[in-house]
Amino acid sequence: MHVLSGDELAHRRQGGLGETLAGLPGVHLDNFGGGASRPVIRGQTLPRIEVLTDGANLFDVSSISPDHAITTDPLLLDAIEIQRGPAAIRYGGNATNGAINLIDSKVPKAVPDGSLSGATEARFGNGDEEKTVVGRVTAGLGQFALHAEGARRAAEDYDVPNSYGSDKLRDSFVESTSYSVGASWITPKGYIGAAYSRMESEYGLPGHSHTNGVCHTHGLDLHCEAHGGFDDPFGGPDSHTASIKLRSDRVDVRADYDDLLPGFSHVRLRGSYTDYAHDEIDGELLFSRFTNEVWDGRFELTHKPILGFTGTAGVQYTDGKFGGINANNLHRPFPDGAYGFDGTPDYLTESVGIFLTERRSFGTVDIEAAVRKDWRRIDVGVPSWRSTVGPELAALFVEWYGADWKQVLESEDVERFRTRNPTVRHNPLSASLGATWNVGQGYALALSFGHTQRAPSVRELYARGNNLATNSYELGLAVGNPTLDEAGLSAEDVLETTDAINLTLRRTRGPLKFEVGLFYQNVDDYVFARLIETETQTGVPHNFLIYTAATARFAGVDGQASYQITPQSRVTVFGDYVDAKLKNENDNLPRIPPGRLGVRYDATAGPLSGDVEYYHTFQQDKIASYETRTPGYDMLNATLSYRFDLGNERAVDLYVRGSNLLNELAFAHTSFVKDQSPLRGRNFVIGMRHAF
């Protein structure tokens, strides 16, 4: 497990989770301007990474498309945990490459010392004119603790090097507001509490084009020209700003108790209700709306030692209603003289999971095992049906179908809809076994084996239409997929199965500390978007992608080694490399991060502290058929901080952080829109933090 906290987190924090974590060993980012960024761990991102908030799933729509933001504000987090191996198995198949646990204080776990604690922060960035303010306070009233926090951030389009052709990245702006209020009842054995959180954000979509909204298919041929009933749902010029405006409301209930039940050392409860929605807007036109309403509950019991084993058993239930894919024309009213479905379908997901983890030490060897079984069902809700036909056509329908012609036509449409959008069930099973040999002198060798099954996501199953954010027309596994039809398979036959081995060598004592991990993954039924053709008729390339299953292999290494030169200074070398291969396919996997190697120097001198970091990201020329080579780049970052100690655990920190000091034009190969969304140019952030 890697934990990012304290000053390291404070100095790395950006508006998005991907930007905040990028640069850690094995972690890259999938960026989409300034508003959305997702972490990429060992070559893969969401939905093969699970994002959690204090051990509970974070429900948004960030796994559906790369332009969708992860609904968290890193400025309000206390720590970020990156979990892998058996520790992540308890969260299911979506944690194939790990789980990112966001630690916050919105539900207090203890009464603060002195009955009051808090913090404030203000920062300004010159590269995007960022203006951010953050505040939090926790108050104690006897056995009760109350907490309130909030953050406000506004940033304009960010700077990019002039060699890009412009000194600003158009539509990379972001404006966001987050706040939360919570309360807990604290007892000597634990706490129970609840919190309400709200996040609002509006951000631009660099590289977005609605020109390809006219694209449609004729069998396996992509056609991007208007004719017959196929036309451009927008019309007009393609020069408008495209943006996403989101809102997320969430209620969390959390409880942790020690020795509450006989035979159990700990009881944990995590419950949540999430109501998420965002609008995708082109100029003044609303072309799509994504929603996600989810009820989720998780209950865990940690038992006391049995034959030397301690472990945790748990159950999770999730009931969700999602909507939004395959819709690009919500701005167009239902036409006169027509009949059919009005609106978009809801995708109703119900899942139950049970899991068990066990641990035991045998002398110098620690053993950990985990297993989880899930049962998931997705039903597609039929949209409402309506008719606006005139009296002449209605009279013909009466003649052809009878007086109940509306019911007849609706019944036929509903039957076709259900055939094209079938119910899909998956029952994945995941298990992991790991052993750590504590050699002595701070050395440890860890070996783990994992067998993980992941059910395809809603988009991978039901996509059928244009994704204008990624300039692609997509066809999912469950909607008449010709690849599966040719093989005589259904979507329920596709269950992504990963067999993985991880070897980690670490040293935690002495001036030289290090952790280096080797990994190998063989994936059957690896779900990916296969390129069928690229259509350039509109002038903006549009890829026809069909989700299919293949056999893939991932292998790589990541890690870091640090040497404590003096008690006040340390040097760290870090790097990572991933090699991915599609077996039995004449192509490479897309968006695989290139290798990276870097060095960082940290030093303190009384209240003054700082670091300087340099790394080189190598060229990526092992590319998929519809990708282009991505050149390498050098990145230089530095931080300087001064702390004023005010006594009584109060302090004020002044800091300045410079990023991309060489002002390199850099592109992230992992991004769907790498050419339209280069990384930030030179940027300085000046901030002040106050804790009391």
Side-chain angles (χ1 to χ4, degrees), residues 337-360:
Y339 62 92
F341 295 122
D342 184 14
T344 59
D346 289 323
Y347 299 85
L348 311 173
T349 300
E350 184 176 33
S351 63
V352 176
I354 58 174
F355 54 90
L356 175 68
T357 63
E358 291 290 339
R359 298 167 295 278
R360 184 179 175 180

Side-chain angles (χ1 to χ4, degrees), residues 385-552:
W385 192 94
R386 65 180 295 193
S387 168
T388 57
V389 301
E392 293 183 2
L393 185 56
L396 286 175
F397 284 160
V398 169
E399 181 180 342
W400 295 339
Y401 300 106
D404 56 350
W405 62 269
K406 289 185 180 180
Q407 290 81 358
V408 172
L409 293 179
E410 180 178 1
S411 177
E412 292 177 352
D413 285 348
V414 168
E415 183 177 353
R416 282 192 295 268
F417 177 89
R418 287 177 172 160
T419 300
R420 290 162 59 89
N421 297 275
T423 294
V424 176
R425 301 173 181 83
H426 286 99
N427 303 322
L429 172 69
S430 299
S432 181
L433 175 65
T436 301
W437 179 27
N438 301 293
V439 182
Q441 303 298 316
Y443 288 94
L445 183 65
L447 179 66
S448 68
F449 301 90
H451 175 83
T452 306
Q453 291 184 324
R454 183 185 74 88
S457 69
V458 170
R459 175 163 229 116
E460 292 167 335
L461 288 170
Y462 295 105
R464 190 207 306 269
N466 292 307
N467 184 346
L468 299 182
T470 59
N471 289 316
S472 60
Y473 186 99
E474 301 174 3
L475 189 65
L477 296 165
V479 290
N481 187 300
T483 303
L484 295 187
D485 291 343
E486 289 177 7
L489 300 174
S490 72
E492 292 183 340
D493 297 317
V494 178
L495 191 59
E496 189 174 282
T497 303
T498 302
D499 291 310
I501 181 170
N502 297 274
L503 180 65
T504 304
L505 177 64
R506 65 174 65 95
R507 188 188 187 197
T508 57
R509 290 172 54 186
L512 176 64
K513 299 182 175 67
F514 59 81
E515 180 171 331
V516 179
L518 300 170
F519 64 93
Y520 179 88
Q521 300 174 350
N522 188 79
V523 191
D524 291 326
D525 281 352
Y526 184 83
V527 179
F528 77 106
R530 174 186 287 160
L531 177 69
I532 303 301
E533 70 166 305
T534 299
E535 175 63 67
T536 60
Q537 190 165 359
T538 65
V540 178
H542 206 58
N543 295 318
F544 181 19
L545 305 175
I546 294 182
Y547 285 100
T548 187
T551 302

Side-chain angles (χ1 to χ4, degrees), residues 4-76:
L4 187 65
S5 61
D7 289 341
E8 185 181 9
L9 172 60
H11 296 156
R12 283 186 173 274
R13 286 186 300 200
Q14 300 286 340
L17 185 61
E19 282 191 288
T20 298
L21 297 179
L24 296 177
V27 184
H28 291 248
L29 84 155
D30 166 14
N31 77 307
F32 213 108
S37 65
R38 307 187 299 183
V40 178
I41 299 179
R42 291 183 167 178
Q44 300 180 67
T45 185
L46 281 69
R48 297 177 178 93
I49 300 170
E50 191 66 79
V51 182
L52 313 165
T53 171
D54 199 34
N57 297 70
L58 183 70
F59 294 103
D60 49 29
V61 298
S62 56
S63 65
I64 300 300
S65 184
D67 59 316
H68 299 170
I70 297 174
T71 53
T72 187
D73 192 332
L75 294 166
L76 294 173

Side-chain angles (χ1 to χ4, degrees), residues 230-242:
F230 300 105
D231 63 355
D232 183 351
F234 294 94
D238 195 24
S239 58
H240 299 299
T241 289

Side-chain angles (χ1 to χ4, degrees), residues 190-207:
Y191 73 95
I192 183 170
Y196 165 76
S197 306
R198 183 179 180 91
M199 180 177 182
E200 297 176 345
S201 181
E202 184 171 5
Y203 57 90
L205 300 177

